[in-house]
Amino acid sequence: MMSNIPMTRPEEVLAVHQTNYFHSSTFVELIDQRILHAAGTTFSISDDRGLSWSKPFSCEDADGNSVGGSGTSLVKLSENGIGLAAIQKPSEGSSKTRRGSCIVFWRSEDSGETWESPVTVTPSGLNTYSYQDVLLRTSSGRIILPVYISLGQAAGLRDLKPPASGKLVNGHWVSTAAHFFDPHFSASYVCYSDDDGRTWQRNQDGELIILLDWSATYSYTNEPTVTEVEPGRLLMFMRNGLGRIFQAWSEDNGQTWTRPQPTSLASSTAPAQIRTLPTGHLLAVWNQESPEEIQRGYNRTRISSAISRNGGSVWEFFQNVESMHEETRIEPAPIQPVRPAEFHFDPGIPAPERQREHIMSVEFHGRWSYPSVFVMADRVLIAHTYSVYEEHPTRAELILSSRKEARFNQKLKVLPLNWFYGGKEPADNPFLPRANDPATP
């Protein structure tokens, strides 16, 4: 059901900022309790815990180069130290077939005032990427960075080029694509450092892919995010195209992982964030959508949050952070690929069969996704992309209005901790055993 209320209980929001950082935001708390924000190569600082922000500024490392890039992630190191990871793309003139994108890591010993030269986290050769805002420092001091590799041809022959999915908004065709027809295969793995980011290793048991059937059914994972549920016990969430968030567990601080398995959280093909709250409970923030909504081109039109008070088994208190829909909880469907029903190939390719009950024309459409989540003692900061399609005379102007000419393309919301508990004070659920409790008879 469509809704005119863009989020659950908006009157409880402490602050909303409209920015142009799109999906690069990441945060870290400095030693003096200020918050440092990074997005790409742009930084800003909040002195009042997210309610207001300084003017943007940039930083240079010891080599005179800009600190940051795409897929930025900040993390607290020991004492006054902070670290930043970002994707480094092949330099101009280099061959992408010889050297792909890799991850690099900068260290600062003085809360971001000065930065050392970066070190390489992942090897060159394969294209390696990371979702933004995913660096984790565990209770042991180990730094965890989940990453993913991308394999395969970017595009095939003309008759094998992927189609474009979308819908008509006020008579104009707009894209609702989200890599539903991406020809690449991707797999996740974890890099970790036990010396504050000076040197890096990777998990010992290979890349994480989804294996649903030993003889036939494999699926990709990418844009992983990790949290520490208990000391040394880590939980990873992974994006995929099967209608669920998939998860994997590590019992040895990130060195080995279980095979990815489905959660009970319905999802579009979009990344999620997983965090541990000061209460010890888990917070998930993700694009929650039903198969019917995705088929009608409504993917990435609901960012939800949910709480698990027993270590990731049962999820409660479903809320809408930003949404076009009234429903706050979607029951997941059977595990299978789901794509929008309306899609088109290039001119000259025969029109495909489509499910006409899911072909829709609408007067308004928006997209929001790629959440960044920063947890504090009494509040949570959530930044996410924000685009709307407004009516203009031509298709080109329609797309530009939502991408390049918009006044803002990101929202940053500051929410009190109890908002995520339905407005109630956080407390354990007495009916749910904790993950490490003995089984009840």
Side-chain angles (χ1 to χ4, degrees):
M1 183 181 299
M2 305 304 292
S3 173
N4 292 322
I5 301 175
M7 69 174 296
T8 305
R9 302 190 319 282
E11 67 278 3
E12 297 177 20
V13 177
L14 301 177
V16 178
H17 303 281
Q18 297 175 347
T19 71
N20 283 297
Y21 298 125
F22 204 46
H23 61 63
S24 293
S25 284
T26 182
F27 308 88
V28 70
E29 187 170 3
L30 303 177
I31 195 71
D32 57 5
Q33 297 186 326
R34 294 178 301 159
I35 302 173
L36 177 65
H37 166 262
T41 57
T42 300
F43 294 79
S44 56
I45 290 177
S46 175
D47 295 319
D48 53 13
R49 302 160 72 224
L51 300 182
S52 63
W53 294 88
S54 71
K55 292 182 178 180
F57 61 92
S58 59
C59 296
E60 291 186 350
D61 60 27
D63 301 323
N65 298 317
S66 296
V67 176
S70 59
T72 46
S73 288
L74 284 166
V75 69
K76 184 78 175 69
L77 303 178
S78 57
E79 298 180 352
N80 291 337
I82 58 174
L84 185 148
I87 302 168
Q88 186 174 78
K89 297 181 180 180
S91 59
E92 291 186 15
S94 66
S95 171
K96 291 186 178 181
T97 61
R98 296 194 307 270
R99 180 177 181 270
S101 299
C102 64
I103 313 297
V104 297
F105 184 84
W106 288 265
R107 298 177 68 257
S108 171
E109 299 287 4
D110 52 12
S111 297
E113 294 294 326
T114 61
W115 294 85
E116 298 177 6
S117 302
V119 299
T120 301
V121 178
T122 62
S124 302
L126 283 176
N127 284 310
T128 308
Y129 308 95
S130 62
Y131 182 25
Q132 90 279 350
D133 199 35
V134 294
L135 273 170
L136 169 70
R137 183 183 179 89
T138 70
S139 56
S140 72
R142 174 171 287 180
I143 308 300
I144 303 287
L145 176 60
V147 301
Y148 66 99
I149 56 174
S150 179
L151 305 171
Q153 295 172 295
L157 301 174
R158 177 176 172 81
D159 61 346
L160 294 178
K161 289 182 65 177
S165 59
K167 65 196 310 178
L168 294 181
V169 180
N170 284 317
H172 297 279
W173 169 262
V174 301
S175 170
T176 60
H179 298 277
F180 287 107
F181 299 95
D182 193 333
H184 296 91
F185 188 84
S186 55
S188 304
Y189 69 94
V190 164
C191 299
Y192 63 90
S193 173
D194 290 321
D195 55 10
D196 263 5
R198 294 176 177 86
T199 61
W200 292 83
Q201 305 176 65
R202 58 164 293 169
N203 65 291
Q204 299 172 2
D205 54 345
E207 294 79 17
L208 282 71
I209 63 173
I210 296 169
L211 174 61
L212 297 179
D213 183 274
W214 284 98
S215 61
T217 309
Y218 295 84
S219 189
Y220 68 85
T221 71
N222 59 39
E223 295 183 319
T225 179
V226 175
T227 195
E228 186 174 34
V229 179
E230 297 167 1
R233 188 167 194 255
L234 310 184
L235 172 60
M236 179 190 295
F237 273 8
M238 289 156 284
R239 172 180 173 174
N240 62 90
L242 300 177
R244 305 273 190 101
I245 295 174
F246 271 62
Q247 64 184 1
W249 293 87
S250 173
E251 304 291 346
D252 53 15
N253 213 15
Q255 293 177 204
T256 61
W257 295 84
T258 63
R259 288 192 180 274
Q261 298 291 337
T263 69
S264 61
L265 301 176
S267 178
S268 176
T269 172
Q273 290 284 13
I274 179 70
R275 296 288 189 269
T276 301
L277 298 175
T279 57
H281 304 152
L282 301 182
L283 168 65
V285 181
W286 82 107
N287 279 107
Q288 181 185 207
E289 268 113 19
S290 70
E292 292 76 20
E293 289 167 343
I294 295 171
Q295 288 172 312
R296 294 172 184 173
Y298 284 121
N299 57 287
R300 301 189 178 186
T301 55
R302 182 195 290 105
I303 293 181
S304 297
S305 69
I307 296 288
S308 176
R309 297 188 283 182
N310 73 333
S313 174
V314 176
W315 292 93
E316 309 168 280
F317 301 115
F318 287 73
Q319 321 278 322
N320 285 339
V321 177
E322 188 80 24
S323 181
M324 288 178 58
H325 312 278
E326 184 175 316
E327 298 86 354
T328 58
R329 181 186 180 187
I330 300 298
E331 183 65 15
I335 297 170
Q336 59 185 3
V338 181
R339 298 182 178 93
E342 186 165 2
F343 58 92
H344 298 272
F345 288 93
D346 281 353
I349 306 299
E353 295 286 342
R354 303 192 306 208
Q355 301 166 288
R356 66 179 185 177
E357 66 270 23
H358 296 312
I359 307 299
M360 299 181 63
S361 298
V362 297
E363 295 181 357
F364 173 82
H365 189 74
R367 282 164 59 96
W368 18 90
S369 59
Y370 277 79
S372 299
V373 180
F374 182 62
V375 174
M376 303 183 73
D378 66 340
R379 66 189 61 183
V380 177
L381 280 61
I382 298 180
H384 59 80
T385 68
Y386 184 91
S387 297
V388 296
Y389 295 91
E390 300 173 352
E391 186 172 4
H392 285 269
T394 70
R395 173 182 176 273
E397 291 182 13
L398 180 71
I399 293 176
L400 287 173
S401 72
S402 69
R403 299 287 185 181
K404 298 178 182 177
E405 296 177 356
R407 290 179 294 110
F408 64 98
N409 58 22
Q410 184 200 67
K411 281 188 179 181
L412 168 58
K413 296 182 178 180
V414 184
L415 295 159
L417 185 62
N418 60 10
W419 182 90
F420 297 91
Y421 290 83
K424 306 176 179 66
E425 288 304 309
D428 287 338
N429 187 330
F431 299 101
L432 291 175
R434 298 284 297 177
N436 58 352
D437 287 347
T440 55

